[in-house]
Amino acid sequence: MENEIVVNVDSGETRVALLEQSVFTELHIERENSKSVVGDVVKGRVSRVLPGMQAAFVDIGLEKAAFLYVGDYFDNTGGEPDPGGRRGGRKGRGGRRGAPPRIDTVLSEGQEIVVQIAKAPIGTKGARITSNISIPGRHLVLTPWSARVGVSRRIDSDKERRRLREIVDRLRPKELGFIIRTAGDGVRDADLAADIHYLNTVWQSIQRVHAEKPAPCVLHAEPDLALRIVRDAASPETKRIVVDDSHTFELLSKFIEEFVADPKPQVDHHTDLQPLFENMGLEAQIHANLERKVWLKSGGSLIVDQSEALTAIDVNTGRFVGKRDLEETVYKTNLEAVKEVVHQLRFRNIGGLIIIDLIDMESADHREKTYRALRDALRRDKARTNILKISELGLVEMTRKRTRENLVQTLCEPCMHCEGRGYLLSEETVAYNLLREMRSSLPRFSGRRIAITVAARVAEQLLGDKAKALETLSTALGHPIEVRARPGIHQEQFEVEALDEGPPVSIPLRWLRDPAEIAAEEAARNNGGSGRGRRRRGGRGASRDQRSAANDRQAAAAELDSSEAEADPQPLFPETQPETESPVQEVEGSPAGDSASGGAPEAALPPPALFPDPASPAQPTPEAVEALAPPPEEAADAPTPAPESPETGDDANAGAAPQAEFEEESQPVDDEAESRILPRS
């Protein structure tokens, strides 16, 4: 069994897979439009010095100037650090650092300095930079302004720390400093010598470019993903590197020949027409590891849920039933699960707070062995982790350092239907919400015929179990309510359209109302108030400016005399939503006679009535409206009583026929097929 690095280069995207003992353990992805500038060494020019902020802005060639705090700068113009200008100032008694110097004493406008990008630009903020340059290698980190050798604190053995420091101090150029990384623990002299040679070559290149090019310019950029992974991940255990791009193949071959110690990995060029990842069976594993549920070989399973605060991983026995007793079954499942958990953490690159919910184990010895298995599996993870003992509840709390975006963030986006919530309102809930919205806005319909457009499953609810409630609303309105099922409409969305002309609707004007009342309504709406139709999220509804414009049009309409209103009736609901929101929504491309236009109905598309009743009055009767309104002692949000089945009673059968008595007719509405539920002739 051997370790391999598989590099797939496509136009605009590079993917690198790490295989350890033939197991797909890590996936790295870099895209052309999302390359990071963090770690780049640049030559910049000071554009502004701000003594009041003890900081400076430096032009480094990006869209916005970079921010440099005085504590992140020391003078390196002569190639030697200035002790008085070091980061944090001089070390005082007891090793404490003194106050840094004033920014206007070490920097001036127009001065050219060498810095490194420590934090990428975000939004309107520029990059954060520092003059404490550090260039990473495989086992070492070059610190050119510090002529000393340091060792990572994660290397615990004092003997190993002394050995590594002696080797590096003997091999390094005396003017350069190095820090031995955790990955250097136990490596050979040849590996350290190869790293020193590589980093020294990089530094010499930086100095040449610095002498040749004016500011602002990039002196050293982090290499492409393929070269970066080979630099950081290639080891004596790496036997083969497979590349499917000729240019990348030549680049990696040259790098390995010059900077990787023996035994060198073999570099192969994949020229087969079949894609490299598909040929090696990696493509299917990528999609499988994006799933919420991960199956274990024994039949158990993991459930991975990532949230804003933490990642929760639940362990289940699944199909694994064991052989002897329950405790042994649980123990074996947990042992297998902790190894797969570590694999999922590395593959998905999950960071932050992680909670592992193991199956409860009664034996303290089993809990201790499971904890040790988890700790041993984490040793191969290069990201810094902190793990606590298994609690009595069977929970493991741990943290893992975030090194880059996780796999789900890189490859996925929130669902366009649920918008990342993971659930939708059920068709029954939407039907009840629609009935409540129509009941509360019934007086505004002014006795007009209306049509509601909903998803097909919601239409089934309205014409089936909710037919009795819909009939009651039709009676109160004075006209049958037409139900339209439109394919493709969101399940939580509905539209209400007025089909007849009618008098203008009186809507309270915003500037005539109490400001305190308006502020209270806006606060309630921002805290989850409803809009028209679907409960829209993420700023999809009409803006406040649009609503204000709608109020202006309503004010102008109110000043018209009655004769003008009769000759050219004002629309029931304007194009933009007024301040007092209504569930009636204009449908783009609706007939000219609808509530939005106020003209004559178009003959090509007569809206069929669901419950034809020629004897129905044009206006709702006061008795019907009074019967529909809830008693004053009842709460406004009292639950709607369960409607009766259409088959029970003669009254129910007269108002709503069973589902089998309706047939569908497809007609184009808004350039989209729409199903209208019509009574059989």
Side-chain angles (χ1 to χ4, degrees):
M1 309 297 281
E2 57 186 22
N3 295 352
E4 295 179 282
I5 299 177
V6 183
V7 182
N8 166 232
V9 180
D10 289 323
S11 178
E13 181 185 61
T14 300
R15 299 186 297 174
V16 179
L18 301 184
L19 278 66
E20 296 179 357
Q21 305 301 314
S22 300
V23 177
F24 192 0
T25 56
E26 292 185 20
L27 175 66
H28 300 259
I29 300 176
E30 182 178 74
R31 288 169 178 163
E32 188 175 357
N33 59 356
S34 60
K35 284 187 177 180
S36 175
V37 296
V38 175
D40 289 0
V41 180
V42 297
K43 182 180 181 181
R45 180 180 288 108
V46 179
S47 57
R48 291 185 64 189
V49 177
L50 304 176
M53 296 180 61
Q54 282 296 288
F57 287 99
V58 182
D59 180 13
I60 60 174
L62 299 180
E63 182 179 355
K64 293 185 176 294
F67 179 82
L68 175 63
Y69 177 63
V70 66
D72 293 326
Y73 175 79
F74 66 89
D75 185 14
N76 51 39
T77 55
E80 293 291 336
D82 178 9
R86 274 189 180 274
R87 179 178 181 178
R90 294 178 181 268
K91 284 190 177 181
R93 184 175 300 173
R96 297 185 210 168
R97 296 189 182 275
R102 291 185 55 82
I103 190 68
D104 51 357
T105 63
V106 294
L107 288 177
S108 59
E109 292 187 8
Q111 180 179 345
E112 294 184 354
I113 57 176
V114 178
V115 293
Q116 188 173 31
I117 301 177
K119 187 176 181 180
I122 300 177
T124 59
K125 296 183 179 179
R128 181 79 179 260
I129 57 177
T130 175
S131 66
N132 295 276
I133 296 174
S134 59
I135 303 173
R138 174 70 182 95
H139 308 292
L140 304 173
V141 175
L142 171 64
T143 54
W145 308 131
S146 173
R148 59 183 294 271
V149 178
V151 184
S152 170
R153 296 178 180 177
R154 297 185 67 182
I155 300 179
D156 300 327
S157 173
D158 292 337
K159 181 179 179 180
E160 179 64 15
R161 294 170 68 91
R162 285 194 302 268
R163 183 187 76 87
L164 294 172
R165 186 180 280 112
E166 290 174 358
I167 295 173
V168 175
D169 194 49
R170 184 179 72 251
L171 299 175
R172 72 182 175 94
K174 297 306 177 184
E175 69 275 8
L176 299 180
F178 292 89
I179 298 175
I180 303 169
R181 303 175 67 176
T182 307
D185 188 6
V187 301
R188 305 166 302 161
D189 298 17
D191 295 326
L192 296 175
D195 243 21
I196 292 174
H197 174 55
Y198 163 70
L199 294 173
N200 187 34
T201 302
V202 171
W203 180 242
Q204 296 299 327
S205 175
I206 290 175
Q207 290 184 317
R208 284 196 304 271
V209 178
H210 177 267
E212 296 172 358
K213 294 185 178 181
C217 66
V218 178
L219 303 179
H220 169 73
E222 276 289 277
D224 291 337
L225 177 64
L227 188 59
R228 194 164 65 242
I229 295 299
V230 171
R231 180 195 68 187
D232 296 341
S235 64
E237 290 78 20
T238 304
K239 303 302 181 183
R240 190 170 72 126
I241 300 175
V242 187
V243 191
D244 62 358
D245 179 69
S246 57
H247 175 71
T248 307
F249 170 74
E250 295 175 0
L251 186 66
L252 293 182
S253 300
K254 182 179 178 181
F255 176 82
I256 291 171
E257 184 65 28
E258 293 184 6
F259 302 115
V260 176
D262 294 328
K264 302 179 187 295
Q266 176 185 347
V267 183
D268 295 337
H269 187 199
H270 177 79
T271 58
D272 195 347
L273 292 178
Q274 187 179 18
L276 177 58
F277 272 39
E278 185 177 345
N279 186 45
M280 301 188 66
L282 304 180
E283 206 72 62
Q285 297 185 50
I286 295 175
H287 295 289
N289 282 283
L290 290 173
E291 298 294 334
R292 179 172 177 261
K293 190 170 188 177
V294 179
W295 288 101
L296 305 176
K297 292 181 179 179
S298 64
S301 63
L302 303 178
I303 305 295
V304 183
D305 288 317
Q306 294 180 243
S307 66
E308 188 72 21
L310 54 84
T311 299
I313 302 178
D314 184 32
V315 181
N316 300 312
T317 55
R319 297 189 292 258
F320 181 55
V321 296
K323 294 182 178 179
R324 290 190 293 179
D325 55 22
L326 176 61
E327 180 67 18
E328 188 69 18
T329 302
V330 169
Y331 172 58
K332 288 184 177 180
T333 304
N334 285 337
L335 276 182
E336 185 184 10
V338 293
K339 297 178 182 178
E340 182 62 27
V341 165
V342 175
H343 174 258
Q344 292 296 322
L345 295 181
R346 294 184 60 189
F347 192 92
R348 303 183 187 218
N349 193 38
I350 297 175
L353 181 61
I354 302 165
I355 304 296
I356 307 172
D357 183 11
L358 299 172
I359 307 173
D360 292 339
M361 294 175 287
E362 297 180 358
S363 171
D365 182 58
H366 286 172
R367 288 197 296 268
E368 180 64 24
K369 289 181 179 179
T370 303
Y371 169 76
R372 291 178 183 175
L374 176 60
R375 186 182 58 188
D376 293 342
L378 286 170
R379 293 187 187 277
R380 299 189 64 86
D381 188 4
K382 295 181 178 63
R384 186 184 303 123
T385 57
N386 183 25
I387 178 174
L388 302 181
K389 291 275 190 177
I390 301 176
S391 69
E392 295 183 358
L393 298 177
L395 300 178
V396 176
E397 302 173 42
M398 63 173 291
T399 59
R400 186 174 185 269
K401 183 179 179 180
R402 286 191 176 100
T403 56
R404 62 186 190 279
E405 283 189 336
N406 62 57
L407 191 64
V408 173
Q409 291 173 329
T410 303
L411 300 180
C412 307
E413 64 181 14
C415 172
M416 61 180 296
H417 292 280
C418 69
E419 298 182 2
R421 294 180 301 171
Y423 54 85
L424 291 173
L425 294 179
S426 67
E427 61 270 17
E428 187 174 15
T429 302
V430 176
Y432 278 122
N433 290 344
L434 172 59
L435 292 173
R436 279 191 289 267
E437 292 277 3
M438 294 178 62
R439 185 182 300 112
S440 63
S441 301
L442 195 63
R444 297 185 185 176
F445 295 136
S446 302
R448 304 184 188 184
R449 293 185 303 115
I450 62 173
I452 55 177
T453 303
V454 293
R457 297 175 62 184
V458 180
E460 292 178 3
Q461 288 286 330
L462 293 174
L463 298 175
D465 297 341
K466 313 302 179 294
K468 183 66 175 179
L470 191 65
E471 180 191 359
T472 304
L473 284 176
S474 300
T475 303
L477 179 65
H479 291 291
I481 298 175
E482 179 182 333
V483 179
R484 301 175 180 176
R486 177 186 297 173
I489 192 172
H490 196 284
Q491 181 164 299
E492 295 181 2
Q493 184 179 2
F494 56 84
E495 298 172 356
V496 182
E497 178 187 0
L499 303 177
D500 295 333
E501 300 179 8
V505 177
S506 176
I507 299 178
L509 299 180
R510 179 184 178 88
W511 53 85
L512 297 180
R513 299 174 58 194
D514 184 11
E517 182 182 355
I518 297 175
E521 289 185 5
E522 290 183 351
R525 183 160 50 252
N526 293 335
N527 292 333
S530 63
R532 63 179 181 181
R534 180 186 172 194
R535 313 291 180 153
R536 299 188 180 270
R537 301 174 295 277
R540 292 188 178 181
S543 64
R544 295 182 180 179
D545 295 337
Q546 291 173 323
R547 291 195 296 267
S548 179
N551 290 332
D552 294 342
R553 287 194 294 271
Q554 289 295 328
E559 296 176 359
L560 296 176
D561 54 58
S562 59
S563 61
E564 293 178 345
E566 292 177 0
D568 186 14
Q570 296 296 318
L572 176 63
F573 297 95
E575 293 180 2
T576 54
Q577 187 177 359
E579 181 66 25
T580 305
E581 298 184 0
S582 169
V584 177
Q585 181 173 346
E586 175 189 343
V587 180
E588 184 178 348
S590 57
D594 60 11
S595 60
S597 61
E602 184 175 343
L605 187 62
L610 178 62
F611 302 102
D613 188 3
S616 298
Q619 299 289 339
T621 61
E623 294 78 3
V625 175
E626 182 179 358
L628 184 65
E633 64 272 7
E634 293 183 5
D637 55 352
T640 306
E644 298 180 5
S645 173
E647 288 80 4
T648 57
D650 296 333
D651 294 337
N653 288 331
Q659 188 69 21
E661 295 296 323
F662 294 91
E663 59 186 11
E664 296 186 359
E665 175 181 311
S666 297
Q667 296 194 21
V669 176
D670 298 346
D671 298 328
E672 187 176 12
E674 179 177 278
S675 298
R676 297 191 176 188
I677 312 301
L678 306 176
R680 283 186 177 176
S681 57

